[in-house]
Amino acid sequence: MAEHEAAHIRIPDEKHESAEATKIHKQFIKSKYANDNDINIAEFFTNSIAVYRTSPTNTPSKMLEAVEYLKKEGIL
């Protein structure tokens, strides 16, 4: 939970608003890993970071796309 909340602080709102972020999010919410919380794009990206930081080898591929996007943007 701490990783999730810390990610909220690290990820600027404008990173959620990009076309690339929106595309990644839309693909994820169609996957079997999405939950009700992930409908919100900010929650999806923070969940992705938290899962990756706590269990990098078990992070779903769609969440890894979000992590890679954030890495590319200089956030992680």
Side-chain angles (χ1 to χ4, degrees), residues 25-34:
H25 178 244
K26 284 183 180 180
Q27 291 172 348
F28 179 78
I29 59 174
K30 295 176 186 174
S31 77
K32 67 180 179 179
Y33 298 105

Side-chain angles (χ1 to χ4, degrees), residues 21 23 28 32 34 37-38 43 55 73 76:
K23 179 182 173 188
F28 179 78
K32 67 180 179 179
N37 192 42
D38 290 321
E43 294 298 326
S55 187
E73 295 294 318
L76 190 59

Side-chain angles (χ1 to χ4, degrees), residues 1-9 37 42-44 46-50:
M1 194 156 97
E3 288 290 350
H4 173 92
E5 295 307 323
H8 274 297
I9 295 167
N37 192 42
E43 294 298 326
F44 161 66
T46 56
N47 286 342
S48 296
I49 291 291

